[in-house]
mmCIF file of all heavy atoms in Angstrom:
data_model
loop_
_atom_site.group_PDB
_atom_site.id
_atom_site.type_symbol
_atom_site.label_atom_id
_atom_site.label_comp_id
_atom_site.label_asym_id
_atom_site.label_seq_id
_atom_site.Cartn_x
_atom_site.Cartn_y
_atom_site.Cartn_z
ATOM 1 N N LYS A 238 64.095 14.689 -3.672
ATOM 2 C CA LYS A 238 64.559 13.527 -3.036
ATOM 3 C C LYS A 238 63.550 12.410 -2.781
ATOM 4 O O LYS A 238 62.319 12.731 -2.381
ATOM 5 C CB LYS A 238 65.073 13.813 -1.566
ATOM 6 C CG LYS A 238 66.352 14.780 -1.681
ATOM 7 C CD LYS A 238 66.834 15.185 -0.205
ATOM 8 C CE LYS A 238 68.010 16.098 -0.305
ATOM 9 N NZ LYS A 238 69.229 15.509 -0.825
ATOM 10 N N VAL A 239 63.826 11.225 -3.088
ATOM 11 C CA VAL A 239 62.868 10.060 -3.101
ATOM 12 C C VAL A 239 63.401 9.014 -2.183
ATOM 13 O O VAL A 239 62.713 8.821 -1.126
ATOM 14 C CB VAL A 239 62.746 9.545 -4.564
ATOM 15 C CG1 VAL A 239 61.747 8.246 -4.492
ATOM 16 C CG2 VAL A 239 62.199 10.532 -5.485
ATOM 17 N N PHE A 240 64.525 8.533 -2.501
ATOM 18 C CA PHE A 240 64.982 7.429 -1.555
ATOM 19 C C PHE A 240 65.749 7.875 -0.346
ATOM 20 O O PHE A 240 65.976 7.183 0.643
ATOM 21 C CB PHE A 240 65.828 6.450 -2.382
ATOM 22 C CG PHE A 240 65.038 5.684 -3.456
ATOM 23 C CD1 PHE A 240 64.857 6.111 -4.748
ATOM 24 C CD2 PHE A 240 64.443 4.534 -2.985
ATOM 25 C CE1 PHE A 240 64.156 5.420 -5.659
ATOM 26 C CE2 PHE A 240 63.635 3.799 -4.033
ATOM 27 C CZ PHE A 240 63.589 4.312 -5.231
ATOM 28 N N ASP A 241 66.050 9.186 -0.364
ATOM 29 C CA ASP A 241 66.760 9.949 0.862
ATOM 30 C C ASP A 241 65.819 11.022 1.285
ATOM 31 O O ASP A 241 66.284 11.938 1.840
ATOM 32 C CB ASP A 241 68.087 10.252 0.414
ATOM 33 C CG ASP A 241 68.059 11.308 -0.894
ATOM 34 O OD1 ASP A 241 67.028 11.255 -1.570
ATOM 35 O OD2 ASP A 241 69.153 11.858 -1.041
ATOM 36 N N SER A 242 64.392 10.766 1.210
ATOM 37 C CA SER A 242 63.512 11.782 1.656
ATOM 38 C C SER A 242 63.747 12.145 3.125
ATOM 39 O O SER A 242 64.016 11.176 3.921
ATOM 40 C CB SER A 242 62.124 11.278 1.382
ATOM 41 O OG SER A 242 61.097 12.173 1.988
ATOM 42 N N ASP A 243 63.497 13.270 3.516
ATOM 43 C CA ASP A 243 63.529 13.718 4.853
ATOM 44 C C ASP A 243 62.173 13.629 5.594
ATOM 45 O O ASP A 243 62.031 14.092 6.678
ATOM 46 C CB ASP A 243 64.159 15.202 5.024
ATOM 47 C CG ASP A 243 63.107 16.132 4.407
ATOM 48 O OD1 ASP A 243 62.302 15.807 3.578
ATOM 49 O OD2 ASP A 243 63.409 17.431 4.556
ATOM 50 N N GLY A 244 61.280 13.028 4.839
ATOM 51 C CA GLY A 244 59.844 12.888 5.407
ATOM 52 C C GLY A 244 59.799 11.861 6.543
ATOM 53 O O GLY A 244 60.775 11.047 6.738
ATOM 54 N N ASP A 245 58.786 11.881 7.254
ATOM 55 C CA ASP A 245 58.651 10.883 8.396
ATOM 56 C C ASP A 245 57.495 9.915 8.220
ATOM 57 O O ASP A 245 57.095 9.251 9.089
ATOM 58 C CB ASP A 245 58.450 11.717 9.685
ATOM 59 C CG ASP A 245 57.433 12.738 9.746
ATOM 60 O OD1 ASP A 245 56.638 12.791 8.788
ATOM 61 O OD2 ASP A 245 57.384 13.420 10.774
ATOM 62 N N ILE A 246 56.875 10.005 7.072
ATOM 63 C CA ILE A 246 55.751 8.984 6.689
ATOM 64 C C ILE A 246 56.275 7.617 6.459
ATOM 65 O O ILE A 246 57.553 7.350 6.154
ATOM 66 C CB ILE A 246 54.845 9.456 5.520
ATOM 67 C CG1 ILE A 246 55.677 9.523 4.279
ATOM 68 C CG2 ILE A 246 54.198 10.761 5.906
ATOM 69 C CD1 ILE A 246 54.773 9.693 2.987
ATOM 70 N N ILE A 247 55.414 6.579 6.621
ATOM 71 C CA ILE A 247 55.682 5.183 6.409
ATOM 72 C C ILE A 247 55.686 4.915 4.788
ATOM 73 O O ILE A 247 55.066 5.695 4.093
ATOM 74 C CB ILE A 247 54.817 4.271 7.161
ATOM 75 C CG1 ILE A 247 53.278 4.604 6.782
ATOM 76 C CG2 ILE A 247 55.056 4.419 8.690
ATOM 77 C CD1 ILE A 247 52.657 3.860 5.743
ATOM 78 N N ASP A 248 56.134 3.708 4.410
ATOM 79 C CA ASP A 248 55.798 3.297 2.989
ATOM 80 C C ASP A 248 55.083 1.835 3.007
ATOM 81 O O ASP A 248 54.845 1.431 1.909
ATOM 82 C CB ASP A 248 56.941 3.319 2.153
ATOM 83 C CG ASP A 248 58.163 2.476 2.583
ATOM 84 O OD1 ASP A 248 57.926 1.543 3.259
ATOM 85 O OD2 ASP A 248 59.348 2.721 2.105
ATOM 86 N N TYR A 249 54.922 1.361 4.276
ATOM 87 C CA TYR A 249 53.965 0.200 4.342
ATOM 88 C C TYR A 249 53.383 0.129 5.716
ATOM 89 O O TYR A 249 53.975 0.658 6.726
ATOM 90 C CB TYR A 249 54.691 -1.023 3.978
ATOM 91 C CG TYR A 249 55.589 -1.643 5.128
ATOM 92 C CD1 TYR A 249 55.162 -2.467 6.125
ATOM 93 C CD2 TYR A 249 56.867 -0.971 5.438
ATOM 94 C CE1 TYR A 249 55.825 -2.824 7.163
ATOM 95 C CE2 TYR A 249 57.625 -1.411 6.459
ATOM 96 C CZ TYR A 249 57.164 -2.412 7.366
ATOM 97 O OH TYR A 249 57.852 -2.706 8.502
ATOM 98 N N GLN A 250 52.273 -0.382 5.812
ATOM 99 C CA GLN A 250 51.528 -0.475 7.143
ATOM 100 C C GLN A 250 50.450 -1.433 7.089
ATOM 101 O O GLN A 250 49.788 -1.570 6.052
ATOM 102 C CB GLN A 250 50.991 0.872 7.562
ATOM 103 C CG GLN A 250 50.501 0.916 9.044
ATOM 104 C CD GLN A 250 50.188 2.345 9.527
ATOM 105 O OE1 GLN A 250 50.524 3.298 8.798
ATOM 106 N NE2 GLN A 250 49.449 2.506 10.550
ATOM 107 N N VAL A 251 50.334 -2.260 8.128
ATOM 108 C CA VAL A 251 49.335 -3.221 8.283
ATOM 109 C C VAL A 251 48.513 -2.803 9.638
ATOM 110 O O VAL A 251 49.234 -2.427 10.539
ATOM 111 C CB VAL A 251 49.736 -4.662 8.320
ATOM 112 C CG1 VAL A 251 50.342 -4.965 6.942
ATOM 113 C CG2 VAL A 251 50.692 -4.887 9.463
ATOM 114 N N ALA A 252 47.245 -3.199 9.670
ATOM 115 C CA ALA A 252 46.459 -2.902 10.923
ATOM 116 C C ALA A 252 45.394 -3.796 10.973
ATOM 117 O O ALA A 252 44.829 -4.343 10.038
ATOM 118 C CB ALA A 252 45.855 -1.464 10.872
ATOM 119 N N ILE A 253 44.987 -4.198 12.338
ATOM 120 C CA ILE A 253 43.818 -4.942 12.478
ATOM 121 C C ILE A 253 42.969 -4.089 13.491
ATOM 122 O O ILE A 253 43.462 -3.396 14.314
ATOM 123 C CB ILE A 253 44.224 -6.406 13.227
ATOM 124 C CG1 ILE A 253 45.069 -6.202 14.497
ATOM 125 C CG2 ILE A 253 44.917 -7.298 12.255
ATOM 126 C CD1 ILE A 253 45.272 -7.503 15.175
ATOM 127 N N VAL A 254 41.586 -4.346 13.206
ATOM 128 C CA VAL A 254 40.588 -3.569 13.820
ATOM 129 C C VAL A 254 39.562 -4.466 14.432
ATOM 130 O O VAL A 254 39.013 -5.341 13.691
ATOM 131 C CB VAL A 254 40.055 -2.480 13.005
ATOM 132 C CG1 VAL A 254 39.007 -1.618 13.607
ATOM 133 C CG2 VAL A 254 41.022 -1.666 12.290
ATOM 134 N N GLU A 255 39.060 -4.116 15.630
ATOM 135 C CA GLU A 255 37.737 -4.840 16.106
ATOM 136 C C GLU A 255 36.833 -3.695 16.315
ATOM 137 O O GLU A 255 37.094 -2.639 17.014
ATOM 138 C CB GLU A 255 38.096 -5.487 17.454
ATOM 139 C CG GLU A 255 36.936 -6.228 17.997
ATOM 140 C CD GLU A 255 37.006 -6.943 19.308
ATOM 141 O OE1 GLU A 255 37.865 -6.460 20.105
ATOM 142 O OE2 GLU A 255 36.557 -8.139 19.471
ATOM 143 N N TYR A 256 35.588 -3.992 15.759
ATOM 144 C CA TYR A 256 34.553 -2.981 15.869
ATOM 145 C C TYR A 256 33.671 -3.368 17.121
ATOM 146 O O TYR A 256 33.729 -4.461 17.740
ATOM 147 C CB TYR A 256 33.772 -3.053 14.598
ATOM 148 C CG TYR A 256 34.407 -2.304 13.473
ATOM 149 C CD1 TYR A 256 35.259 -2.969 12.550
ATOM 150 C CD2 TYR A 256 34.163 -0.964 13.177
ATOM 151 C CE1 TYR A 256 35.899 -2.338 11.572
ATOM 152 C CE2 TYR A 256 34.758 -0.270 12.075
ATOM 153 C CZ TYR A 256 35.600 -0.942 11.293
ATOM 154 O OH TYR A 256 36.293 -0.439 10.318
ATOM 155 N N ALA A 257 32.824 -2.317 17.446
ATOM 156 C CA ALA A 257 32.003 -2.422 18.667
ATOM 157 C C ALA A 257 30.950 -3.644 18.581
ATOM 158 O O ALA A 257 30.526 -4.120 19.534
ATOM 159 C CB ALA A 257 31.248 -1.164 18.883
ATOM 160 N N ASN A 258 30.579 -3.893 17.333
ATOM 161 C CA ASN A 258 29.677 -5.095 17.100
ATOM 162 C C ASN A 258 30.435 -6.426 16.821
ATOM 163 O O ASN A 258 29.672 -7.451 16.495
ATOM 164 C CB ASN A 258 28.668 -4.730 15.868
ATOM 165 C CG ASN A 258 29.395 -4.533 14.560
ATOM 166 O OD1 ASN A 258 30.663 -4.548 14.538
ATOM 167 N ND2 ASN A 258 28.686 -4.130 13.573
ATOM 168 N N GLY A 259 31.690 -6.449 17.004
ATOM 169 C CA GLY A 259 32.442 -7.686 16.914
ATOM 170 C C GLY A 259 32.994 -7.944 15.603
ATOM 171 O O GLY A 259 33.794 -8.909 15.374
ATOM 172 N N VAL A 260 32.762 -7.142 14.536
ATOM 173 C CA VAL A 260 33.295 -7.296 13.222
ATOM 174 C C VAL A 260 34.847 -7.094 13.312
ATOM 175 O O VAL A 260 35.295 -6.206 13.988
ATOM 176 C CB VAL A 260 32.751 -6.433 12.142
ATOM 177 C CG1 VAL A 260 33.400 -6.516 10.832
ATOM 178 C CG2 VAL A 260 31.173 -6.779 11.969
ATOM 179 N N GLY A 261 35.575 -7.885 12.596
ATOM 180 C CA GLY A 261 37.101 -7.716 12.527
ATOM 181 C C GLY A 261 37.412 -7.371 11.124
ATOM 182 O O GLY A 261 36.855 -7.758 10.178
ATOM 183 N N MET A 262 38.486 -6.547 11.110
ATOM 184 C CA MET A 262 38.999 -6.113 9.788
ATOM 185 C C MET A 262 40.532 -6.079 9.804
ATOM 186 O O MET A 262 41.094 -5.670 10.763
ATOM 187 C CB MET A 262 38.475 -4.682 9.369
ATOM 188 C CG MET A 262 39.057 -4.099 8.013
ATOM 189 S SD MET A 262 38.388 -2.658 7.534
ATOM 190 C CE MET A 262 39.218 -1.405 8.599
ATOM 191 N N ASN A 263 41.146 -6.513 8.682
ATOM 192 C CA ASN A 263 42.614 -6.244 8.523
ATOM 193 C C ASN A 263 42.668 -5.268 7.295
ATOM 194 O O ASN A 263 42.021 -5.502 6.302
ATOM 195 C CB ASN A 263 43.404 -7.394 8.445
ATOM 196 C CG ASN A 263 43.119 -8.409 7.319
ATOM 197 O OD1 ASN A 263 43.072 -7.876 6.130
ATOM 198 N ND2 ASN A 263 42.755 -9.602 7.544
ATOM 199 N N PHE A 264 43.699 -4.332 7.416
ATOM 200 C CA PHE A 264 43.885 -3.367 6.369
ATOM 201 C C PHE A 264 45.443 -3.289 6.124
ATOM 202 O O PHE A 264 46.212 -3.167 7.075
ATOM 203 C CB PHE A 264 43.368 -2.006 6.817
ATOM 204 C CG PHE A 264 43.373 -0.972 5.623
ATOM 205 C CD1 PHE A 264 42.469 -0.962 4.593
ATOM 206 C CD2 PHE A 264 44.387 -0.044 5.642
ATOM 207 C CE1 PHE A 264 42.422 -0.076 3.522
ATOM 208 C CE2 PHE A 264 44.534 0.910 4.604
ATOM 209 C CZ PHE A 264 43.526 0.791 3.531
ATOM 210 N N HIS A 265 45.651 -3.205 4.775
ATOM 211 C CA HIS A 265 47.201 -3.211 4.503
ATOM 212 C C HIS A 265 47.418 -2.091 3.369
ATOM 213 O O HIS A 265 46.587 -1.913 2.382
ATOM 214 C CB HIS A 265 47.517 -4.506 3.867
ATOM 215 C CG HIS A 265 48.912 -4.628 3.330
ATOM 216 N ND1 HIS A 265 49.341 -5.646 2.451
ATOM 217 C CD2 HIS A 265 50.012 -3.880 3.666
ATOM 218 C CE1 HIS A 265 50.686 -5.572 2.270
ATOM 219 N NE2 HIS A 265 51.014 -4.526 2.946
ATOM 220 N N THR A 266 48.375 -1.260 3.602
ATOM 221 C CA THR A 266 48.785 -0.247 2.525
ATOM 222 C C THR A 266 50.239 -0.329 2.305
ATOM 223 O O THR A 266 50.978 -0.576 3.121
ATOM 224 C CB THR A 266 48.321 1.209 2.992
ATOM 225 O OG1 THR A 266 48.650 2.128 1.961
ATOM 226 C CG2 THR A 266 49.245 1.636 4.195
ATOM 227 N N ASN A 267 50.628 -0.093 0.963
ATOM 228 C CA ASN A 267 51.998 -0.084 0.581
ATOM 229 C C ASN A 267 52.210 0.770 -0.608
ATOM 230 O O ASN A 267 51.267 0.994 -1.463
ATOM 231 C CB ASN A 267 52.411 -1.487 0.214
ATOM 232 C CG ASN A 267 53.890 -1.785 -0.081
ATOM 233 O OD1 ASN A 267 54.577 -1.105 -0.931
ATOM 234 N ND2 ASN A 267 54.433 -2.525 0.726
ATOM 235 N N LEU A 268 53.256 1.653 -0.631
ATOM 236 C CA LEU A 268 53.444 2.688 -1.591
ATOM 237 C C LEU A 268 54.332 2.399 -2.695
ATOM 238 O O LEU A 268 54.658 3.026 -3.524
ATOM 239 C CB LEU A 268 54.126 3.904 -0.852
ATOM 240 C CG LEU A 268 53.328 4.734 0.073
ATOM 241 C CD1 LEU A 268 52.738 3.990 1.323
ATOM 242 C CD2 LEU A 268 54.045 6.012 0.415
ATOM 243 N N ASN A 269 54.664 1.012 -2.804
ATOM 244 C CA ASN A 269 55.649 0.644 -3.850
ATOM 245 C C ASN A 269 55.189 -0.712 -4.528
ATOM 246 O O ASN A 269 55.957 -1.672 -4.469
ATOM 247 C CB ASN A 269 57.022 0.476 -3.251
ATOM 248 C CG ASN A 269 58.121 0.170 -4.213
ATOM 249 O OD1 ASN A 269 58.216 0.815 -5.268
ATOM 250 N ND2 ASN A 269 59.009 -0.780 -3.895
ATOM 251 N N VAL A 270 54.055 -0.707 -5.077
ATOM 252 C CA VAL A 270 53.462 -1.899 -5.676
ATOM 253 C C VAL A 270 53.299 -1.701 -7.235
ATOM 254 O O VAL A 270 52.429 -0.834 -7.665
ATOM 255 C CB VAL A 270 51.998 -2.158 -5.075
ATOM 256 C CG1 VAL A 270 51.359 -3.362 -5.635
ATOM 257 C CG2 VAL A 270 52.121 -2.302 -3.526
#
Side-chain angles (χ1 to χ4, degrees):
K238 296 182 179 295
V239 177
F240 294 89
D241 52 349
S242 169
D243 63 348
D245 54 9
I246 61 170
I247 54 88
D248 63 21
Y249 78 98
Q250 189 169 348
V251 296
I253 54 175
V254 182
E255 182 182 38
Y256 285 86
N258 59 1
V260 172
M262 178 175 76
N263 61 56
F264 186 81
H265 180 198
T266 187
N267 191 296
L268 284 67
N269 189 41
V270 178

